[in-house]
Amino acid sequence: MGVLTVIEVSGDLTAARRSALAAELAQAGGAVLLRIASAGLPEAELGVAAAVAEVAALCEAIENRTAAVVAVLSGQVRGAALELALAAGARVARQGAAFGFSDAGLGLVPGAGATQRLPRLVGAAEALRMLQDGAEVDAVTAFATGLVDALAEGDGVQDAVRLAGALPLRKGIRDGRAYLATVAAARGAARTPAQARIVDCVEAALMLPHGPGLAFERVTFEDLCASAETQGLLHARRAFAVAADAAVPVARLGIWGAAAPAVGLAVAALRAGLEVQLAAESREAVVKALADVAERQEAEVQAGRMLPEAREAEWARLLPQVGAAGLAGVDLTVMTEAGAVAGPRLAYGVALADVPVLTRFESLAEIAANGAAPDHVARGAGLARALGWVPVVTRQGGPVVLRLATALAEAVAWVEAQAAAQDAGRGVGRAALAQSLAAQGIAGEGAARAGVADGIALRCLAALANEGARLVGEGIAPSAAHVDAVAIAAGLMARWTGGPMHQANRRGLMVLRRDLRGWAADDAALWTPAPLIDALIAEGRGFT
């Protein structure tokens, strides 16, 4: 086989790493072993056409080498990094490796060849499952489906050398009729534009030669990149990354209190795999709380949503305590009532000075820093993540979610009042109002993801953006991204909209101000433009 060049591909595939990888591939004289342990492109370059084009060029350089290229995969190999692996002649998976694509969740198709190469390895059904649904695949499943060619023993080098000597391996689509039947079924089940376009690309893998298939995928990717829905989804992802701030993992949770909020939190934390120390002032209160936890767990078992063995495992992680001293050593204590508790604390349902305050709304966990130590705030964000909630860190003076929800409710009430004042035959009924809002992703997920918002939706969008501008201007929301993250996580706006501040930027702040000034006579408190809007227009900037 001659000289074997080993190239490391780890961490984010930044512009510098992509350039270095291209140079290393060009300089390699013989067979190449790619050690890949990467989750793909950096967050800021997701959906950036130029970055994806560079990854596509790397994939073609790997695929077109005359000497063998084998990839050894470990850890989380996702997105663009997995596309590099698909371009290799063979793949070896180390123990614990996992693979996946998240493009569809961002309104995209992969842009570096995955829709063409993956079906040729695993068939249409498995390719569509991974590409459309974002399903993660472990090493054993990857081997069973043909995504990887061997499971590594040790570091995988010897397996890679063996496969390199056996290339080319036998690959290809074997049953075209079954393939097309799978594609047809997937097209009928597609729920989003991205999922439908993924089906088109996977079909092209069968119907077109490899080169034109890659070109078809590229055009599809660029087309989706320019869509309003994709831009909204990408903005939402970045907004959540900004708004969560730092997060410190929490493994051992303390809960102070024994009423319903404490019991509900204990049940959720146990289900998430945390160790829970539940404490209260009196033994009677602790006993009552334990009984409530047991009752909820038994209901889950009886309903078939929990196995008895799982209940016993959860119960073993629940440690009852009497008095605050029993909370020593926990990573974070959630205060559901006032008490003399030391260490990192988070207030939930109770107001405490200099303690972060958690407000829960739908999947949102808004954490108001409240002047607390950054470490305490970060632990609160870590707890929210562990429980499957979306953490958004704000400042004192909110909660932001309540202010936004109130503004939306007032705008809807104004529209309803105007409708009621009109002729019954010409008025806007509740069903029509809800449909109009949902079509624009306001307080619901509508099917109509394109087109121009009507007057009703524009009023509501403007009310949300105006209140968001007030929150940023008052220093309660650290940035417009925080407002968007809160609005989306709380269900006030659909994820694909990108949130009210993103929508305002798309229309333009001068247009927003014009509308608000025109409506201010109707309700000055609701529609008068926030001072921040004037300031940003004067500076030629949008919401950031």
Side-chain angles (χ1 to χ4, degrees):
M1 184 176 62
V3 177
L4 177 67
T5 300
V6 178
I7 299 177
E8 301 287 343
V9 184
S10 60
D12 287 344
L13 292 177
T14 62
R17 186 68 194 95
R18 297 192 299 269
S19 177
L21 179 55
E24 290 174 284
L25 287 169
Q27 292 167 7
V32 170
L33 188 154
L34 296 173
R35 294 183 189 266
I36 302 179
S38 168
L41 291 172
E43 190 76 26
E45 291 192 288
L46 293 174
V48 176
V52 174
E54 289 181 4
V55 176
L58 286 170
C59 289
E60 292 188 33
I62 291 169
E63 187 172 55
N64 295 332
R65 284 183 62 86
T66 54
V69 179
V70 179
V72 176
L73 313 174
S74 59
Q76 293 283 328
V77 181
R78 303 187 62 84
L82 184 51
E83 294 199 85
L84 294 177
L86 292 175
R91 286 146 296 281
V92 178
R94 296 185 64 187
Q95 185 175 5
F99 316 102
F101 292 96
S102 58
D103 304 83
L106 297 174
L108 292 168
V109 303
T115 66
Q116 304 306 294
R117 297 184 179 101
L118 184 62
R120 289 180 166 87
L121 296 175
V122 303
E126 180 64 10
L128 287 165
R129 190 177 78 88
M130 292 183 67
L131 294 168
Q132 282 189 304
D133 302 334
E136 185 173 275
V137 174
D138 61 26
V140 173
T141 303
F143 178 65
T145 60
L147 174 59
V148 301
D149 302 285
L151 297 176
E153 296 183 7
D155 62 9
V157 173
Q158 293 303 314
D159 301 280
V161 170
R162 174 178 56 80
L163 287 172
L167 290 177
L169 301 177
R170 186 177 180 183
K171 303 289 182 185
I173 299 167
R174 298 182 180 180
D175 188 341
R177 182 172 296 178
Y179 188 105
L180 289 176
T182 300
V183 164
R187 180 171 284 118
R191 301 182 303 277
T192 68
Q195 288 184 337
R197 301 297 291 275
I198 285 171
V199 176
D200 294 340
C201 290
V202 170
E203 181 180 47
L206 175 69
M207 305 299 290
L208 297 176
H210 188 53
L214 291 173
F216 181 86
E217 180 196 77
R218 175 61 55 80
V219 170
T220 303
F221 170 82
E222 292 175 351
D223 185 34
L224 287 171
C225 270
S227 72
E229 177 181 348
T230 296
Q231 291 302 311
L233 289 167
L234 288 167
H235 175 82
R237 180 176 176 125
R238 290 162 188 155
F240 283 129
V242 169
D245 209 349
V248 173
V250 171
R252 180 179 294 180
L253 177 67
I255 299 176
W256 177 252
V263 171
L265 187 62
V267 170
L270 291 169
R271 184 62 53 88
L274 303 184
E275 182 177 310
V276 176
Q277 293 179 209
L278 179 63
E281 286 284 8
S282 69
R283 180 179 182 278
E284 293 75 17
V286 173
V287 170
K288 173 64 166 59
L290 292 176
D292 291 343
V293 171
E295 182 179 351
R296 294 197 189 190
Q297 290 176 328
E298 178 62 22
E300 292 291 293
V301 171
Q302 293 301 319
R305 293 188 292 267
M306 177 187 284
L307 295 173
E309 296 83 1
R311 175 183 58 186
E312 297 307 313
E314 288 188 5
W315 195 254
R317 295 197 306 276
L318 179 59
L319 309 174
Q321 307 286 341
V322 177
L327 294 172
V330 299
D331 298 322
L332 175 72
T333 297
V334 176
M335 309 290 293
T336 63
E337 59 187 52
V341 177
R345 293 174 295 162
L346 178 70
Y348 183 46
V350 61
L352 299 172
D354 301 323
V355 176
V357 178
L358 172 67
T359 301
R360 173 93 189 283
F361 195 99
E362 299 292 339
S363 64
L364 169 70
E366 182 182 339
I367 303 165
N370 203 23
D375 177 68
H376 295 196
V377 178
R379 289 170 189 258
L383 172 63
R385 284 183 174 172
L387 298 182
W389 304 340
V390 178
V392 177
V393 177
T394 60
R395 297 172 184 149
Q396 189 171 3
V400 169
V401 63
L402 181 58
R403 294 269 299 265
L404 292 176
T406 300
L408 178 59
E410 289 176 352
V412 170
W414 187 91
V415 172
E416 287 183 330
Q418 299 309 301
Q422 296 177 22
D423 239 311
R426 297 169 56 202
V428 179
R430 284 183 176 270
L433 175 60
Q435 184 178 16
S436 173
L437 296 179
Q440 299 301 323
I442 304 171
E445 288 274 1
R449 301 190 176 206
V452 179
D454 61 22
I456 296 171
L458 286 178
R459 289 259 187 176
C460 293
L461 286 169
L464 285 167
N466 198 34
E467 189 63 26
R470 290 172 180 151
L471 288 160
V472 175
E474 294 166 15
I476 297 170
S479 73
H482 287 74
V483 174
D484 284 335
V486 166
I488 293 168
L492 302 179
M493 293 192 69
R495 192 182 186 99
W496 53 265
T497 67
M501 314 308 275
H502 175 71
Q503 288 292 315
N505 278 339
R506 289 189 67 239
R507 294 192 72 227
L509 295 198
M510 292 187 70
V511 175
L512 173 64
R513 184 175 66 178
R514 180 206 65 195
D515 289 345
L516 290 170
R517 285 176 173 175
W519 300 332
D522 299 330
D523 188 331
L526 182 59
W527 307 113
T528 298
L532 179 63
I533 296 175
D534 287 330
L536 291 175
I537 290 174
E539 296 171 7
R541 298 192 296 125
F543 293 124
T544 56

